[in-house]
Amino acid sequence: MPTDPWLAHIVSKFESEILADWIQHQLAADTLRRDLMSEAELVEQSRAFLGLLREAVQKGNLADTTGPEWTPVREMLACVSRARAKQGFTASETATFVFSLKQPLFARLRGEVGTDVDALGDAVWRTTVLLDKLGLYTAESYQKGREEVIARQQQEMMELSTPVVKLWEGILALPLIGTLDSARTQIVMENLLERIVETGASIAIIDITGVPTVDTLVAQHLLKTVAAARLMGADCIISGIRPQIAQTIVHLGVELTNVITKATLADAFTVALERTGATIAPRSGHV
Amino acid sequence: MFESGSSVERIPILKMGSYLLVTIQVDMHDRLATSLQDDLTARIVETRARGVLIDISSLEVVDSFIGRMLGNIAAMARVLDAETVVVGMRPAVAITLVELGLSLPGVRTALNVDKGMELLRGSVERVAKVNSRGRRQARDA
């Protein structure tokens, strides 16, 4: 489909008037979020978008917004919707940015085309199809932006929740909190092994007090971590096994016989100290 | 490039006191592994070594073949009354071996050469103590 003569005509002829109308519409609309975005910013975004739209409409074909003529427009929209996703706009508030341009454009089209109903209908239809596409693209970018935020938070949570703590010379502790899945086990394992190399630790205590449930899969992940640490030359002790979890492990028939297990981190620490040749004794006078 | 049995392609075995030291720095393949097993068992018998320390800290890639080879060497050395310790395994290698299901159950491991030697000395001394006690008991009886 070739470029629409009427649309190209009005956006180049009335650019500043359309911009003024559009901004007025946006400011009057109840989807405006003054708490999240200043008026100056909105004006700036609207002006930039309308300018890019004018260039694209003049040279581009309206049927296909994925073409190279539309790249600047798409980039600008993606940028705006990602920024809005981070600022806390809803999906419809973000998409309204594009959809609210329809009314000022239609008003100008009506004024220019005059009484030729067929021509006016055509021009309005093409414009509405174009803006719908751009609006949907905005919504998609918004969603992508939100997904990126979620992915980043997941990553951060994973890193936060697997600290490796040095308890004593040669003794590391790994307090696990939350469910263990394969992706997390991988990160836990890597963190632990790297810290073993860094600190030269010979004993690692894996504390599972914060692990809500232990099923066969979680147990398998734990055993993998223990085996990998052993290959590096460090022994593992699993501590923090709650009474319920001890029962579950036995009912499931999970073999933990090759691993030292202790009920509390304190017990595990005592064993680890003994292994490394240190002891804790109360000072004389304190009993 | 080299023919099998050429001296260039062998892995050097160093003698340090009553222990043997092997550092694997090149990619292992069948022939190299076989020649290492031949050489090592011969050297254990020849030097009456009590312990073998295998350093794999420069190996970045380990497959199931090398994993099995390490297990085999440890088993062979044990038959000849020598302890084997594998030292310096990299984190990535350890994870790979575990994912492959090879946790090398018969092989002792240590973080670095220092700790490996400590482990070897400890276990050899322990064995010596047990043996001398056994001898004394036999004499007293």
Side-chain angles (χ1 to χ4, degrees), chain B residues 54-117:
Chain B
I54 305 176
D55 173 34
I56 56 166
S57 55
S58 38
L59 278 190
E60 279 174 28
V61 183
V62 166
D63 53 13
S64 55
F65 172 71
I66 300 186
R68 215 176 47 241
M69 184 206 75
L70 290 173
N72 285 347
I73 287 184
M76 291 169 191
R78 202 172 308 121
V79 174
L80 296 170
D81 193 25
E83 282 278 339
T84 306
V85 176
V86 172
V87 304
M89 189 180 292
R90 295 185 176 212
V93 170
I95 293 175
T96 316
L97 281 182
V98 170
E99 295 294 341
L100 286 173
L102 286 170
S103 48
L104 306 184
V107 184
R108 307 183 71 180
T109 50
L111 192 63
N112 48 36
V113 178
D114 261 353
K115 296 205 170 179
M117 286 307 284

Side-chain angles (χ1 to χ4, degrees), chain A:
Chain A
M1 195 188 281
T3 169
D4 186 297
W6 287 111
L7 183 57
H9 171 68
I10 59 149
V11 282
S12 45
K13 190 172 170 192
F14 300 110
E15 188 176 347
S16 52
E17 288 90 338
I18 291 175
L19 179 63
D21 283 356
W22 185 26
I23 289 170
Q24 217 176 347
H25 275 295
Q26 292 190 72
L27 290 180
D30 47 358
T31 49
L32 179 72
R33 298 289 297 267
R34 283 181 201 277
D35 49 334
L36 298 178
M37 192 179 202
S38 71
E39 204 175 310
E41 209 176 336
L42 180 70
V43 171
E44 189 41 54
Q45 281 181 357
S46 307
R47 175 177 299 127
F49 175 69
L50 199 57
L52 290 172
L53 182 73
R54 173 174 50 78
E55 284 171 24
V57 166
Q58 276 167 355
K59 60 185 166 186
N61 89 49
L62 298 189
D64 179 24
T65 53
T66 54
E69 306 90 345
W70 290 93
T71 309
V73 176
R74 274 183 281 123
E75 277 171 5
M76 149 101 201
L77 280 179
C79 185
V80 166
S81 35
R82 263 176 216 182
R84 291 194 180 198
K86 278 184 195 135
Q87 282 164 335
F89 282 78
T90 67
S92 48
E93 280 162 1
T94 309
T96 307
F97 173 66
V98 174
F99 290 136
S100 60
L101 182 57
K102 280 187 181 178
Q103 201 177 350
L105 281 181
F106 291 171
R108 293 286 152 185
L109 279 173
R110 203 161 51 218
E112 277 299 292
V113 181
T115 51
D116 186 350
V117 180
D118 284 349
L120 179 63
D122 266 1
V124 167
W125 173 244
R126 283 183 210 164
T127 312
T128 202
V129 166
L130 172 69
L131 286 181
D132 284 351
K133 274 185 190 159
L134 293 176
L136 288 175
Y137 180 77
T138 314
E140 266 171 33
S141 315
Y142 172 87
Q143 201 182 351
K144 260 183 224 152
R146 285 292 278 263
E147 274 162 16
E148 275 168 23
V149 171
I150 292 170
R152 204 193 60 234
Q153 283 171 345
Q154 261 175 350
Q155 181 67 29
E156 278 169 7
M157 241 162 68
M158 246 178 206
E159 281 165 12
L160 276 181
S161 58
T162 52
V164 182
V165 195
K166 183 174 170 181
L167 284 185
W168 201 263
E169 199 57 50
I171 303 175
L172 292 179
L174 180 71
L176 286 177
I177 293 165
T179 318
L180 270 183
D181 54 16
S182 350
R184 240 189 107 196
T185 311
Q186 192 74 18
I187 293 180
V188 167
M189 229 195 258
E190 278 168 23
N191 280 353
L192 178 66
L193 299 193
E194 263 156 37
R195 288 284 286 164
I196 287 175
V197 175
E198 266 171 44
T199 56
S202 53
I203 293 187
I205 303 172
I206 303 177
D207 187 79
I208 58 167
T209 312
V211 179
T213 48
V214 174
D215 53 15
T216 42
L217 206 62
V218 173
Q220 201 192 342
H221 289 320
L222 278 176
L223 290 176
K224 264 187 191 174
T225 312
V226 172
R230 198 193 69 85
L231 282 177
M232 303 272 307
D235 281 332
C236 278
I237 304 175
I238 297 181
S239 75
I241 301 175
R242 280 175 280 126
Q244 265 173 336
I245 288 188
Q247 293 178 30
T248 322
I249 287 176
V250 172
H251 285 314
L252 287 174
V254 175
E255 279 288 323
L256 282 180
T257 41
N258 297 326
V259 189
I260 313 168
T261 50
K262 290 280 165 192
T264 62
L265 183 61
D267 290 343
F269 186 49
T270 317
V271 172
L273 280 177
E274 269 170 26
R275 289 272 191 96
T276 53
T279 46
I280 292 182
R283 262 191 305 186
S284 53
H286 295 258
V287 182

Side-chain angles (χ1 to χ4, degrees), chain B residues 132-141:
Chain B
S132 70
R133 199 183 303 138
R135 263 200 304 278
R136 205 177 308 126
Q137 277 167 355
R139 201 177 49 216
D140 292 349

